[in-house]
Amino acid sequence: MKEIEQDTLKKLLQIIGPYPSTSVVHFSDGELALSEAIYDYCHARSYDYQLNATEKGFCESAQRRFGGREGIRVIDFSLNRPRYMIQGKSYEFLFVTMEIPQAQRGEFLAKAHEIIRNSGNILLFVPRGNDKERWQWERLLEENYFVATNTIDDLFGHYDLIISKKMHGWGDK
């Protein structure tokens, strides 16, 4: 993953409102500076932050970096899990800053839908200017019962940001 501008990321994180018991999950395969920024934001507000590290080396680096800190869990995570969580809907915000293989995207969104609370948001970082990939994500989000999808294409130098919302009663099984 290319570097994400920290000043802009701090502005983006302000979309996480000032509500108690907020939980954030982040799917990542690298970029400790980004994880650190999300952690700092969450920790300052006593929000829960879970980092789902999908690459072994990144997971080990993250565990060393965040080991012993409160308010964060670093999970050695596989996208191939049958379910992403047994407890159910837990997160208000789900950040995705890694490449999800095209063949797994629909399945990823279906599993992600199950762990996001009603009215929660998914934020996908996709390569900037790649309209084909952006449209594919938008179509898959709609097929997996995410609504109010918007793209911000001028926030980051290397990425467009797709934000979509899970609405109550849409696609609940």
Side-chain angles (χ1 to χ4, degrees), residues 65-85:
R65 170 81 61 94
F66 297 110
R69 295 192 198 181
E70 76 178 54
I72 183 170
R73 287 188 352 207
V74 177
I75 307 293
D76 185 3
F77 199 87
S78 171
L79 293 179
N80 295 323
R81 290 180 175 192
R83 295 184 75 186
Y84 288 166
M85 185 176 226

Side-chain angles (χ1 to χ4, degrees), residues 47-96:
Y47 298 161
D48 291 323
Y49 175 46
Q50 179 169 310
L51 175 58
N52 290 341
T54 60
E55 295 291 332
K56 191 74 163 164
F58 174 62
C59 182
E60 291 168 356
S61 296
Q63 287 172 337
R64 282 191 302 275
R65 170 81 61 94
F66 297 110
R69 295 192 198 181
E70 76 178 54
I72 183 170
R73 287 188 352 207
V74 177
I75 307 293
D76 185 3
F77 199 87
S78 171
L79 293 179
N80 295 323
R81 290 180 175 192
R83 295 184 75 186
Y84 288 166
M85 185 176 226
I86 293 174
Q87 298 96 322
K89 299 165 180 50
S90 294
Y91 303 103
E92 284 83 14
F93 293 89
L94 189 147
F95 286 81
V96 181

Side-chain angles (χ1 to χ4, degrees), residues 17-24 45-48 90-92 117:
Y19 305 108
S21 301
T22 297
S23 295
V24 176
R45 290 154 185 81
S46 298
Y47 298 161
D48 291 323
S90 294
Y91 303 103
E92 284 83 14
R117 290 184 182 161

Side-chain angles (χ1 to χ4, degrees), residues 23-157:
S23 295
V24 176
V25 65
H26 178 201
F27 288 80
S28 180
D29 59 1
E31 187 58 46
L32 277 172
L34 174 61
S35 302
E36 187 81 46
I38 296 172
Y39 168 75
D40 288 345
Y41 187 86
C42 290
H43 183 69
R45 290 154 185 81
S46 298
Y47 298 161
D48 291 323
Y49 175 46
Q50 179 169 310
L51 175 58
N52 290 341
T54 60
E55 295 291 332
K56 191 74 163 164
F58 174 62
C59 182
E60 291 168 356
S61 296
Q63 287 172 337
R64 282 191 302 275
R65 170 81 61 94
F66 297 110
R69 295 192 198 181
E70 76 178 54
I72 183 170
R73 287 188 352 207
V74 177
I75 307 293
D76 185 3
F77 199 87
S78 171
L79 293 179
N80 295 323
R81 290 180 175 192
R83 295 184 75 186
Y84 288 166
M85 185 176 226
I86 293 174
Q87 298 96 322
K89 299 165 180 50
S90 294
Y91 303 103
E92 284 83 14
F93 293 89
L94 189 147
F95 286 81
V96 181
T97 59
M98 60 175 288
E99 177 69 28
I100 306 289
Q102 191 167 358
Q104 286 185 288
R105 291 177 181 177
E107 182 181 357
F108 172 81
L109 290 175
K111 292 176 187 177
H113 191 275
E114 293 176 358
I115 66 173
I116 298 175
R117 290 184 182 161
N118 293 326
S119 298
N121 295 283
I122 185 169
L123 296 92
L124 298 157
F125 288 72
V126 299
R128 185 167 189 179
N130 187 335
D131 292 340
K132 183 178 178 181
E133 185 168 349
R134 191 180 80 216
W135 292 329
Q136 181 192 40
W137 275 114
E138 290 172 356
R139 179 182 54 77
L140 287 169
L141 285 161
E142 183 179 328
E143 288 173 6
N144 285 280
Y145 308 107
F146 290 93
V147 298
T149 300
N150 290 289
T151 301
I152 303 172
D153 60 6
D154 60 354
L155 193 59
F156 297 105

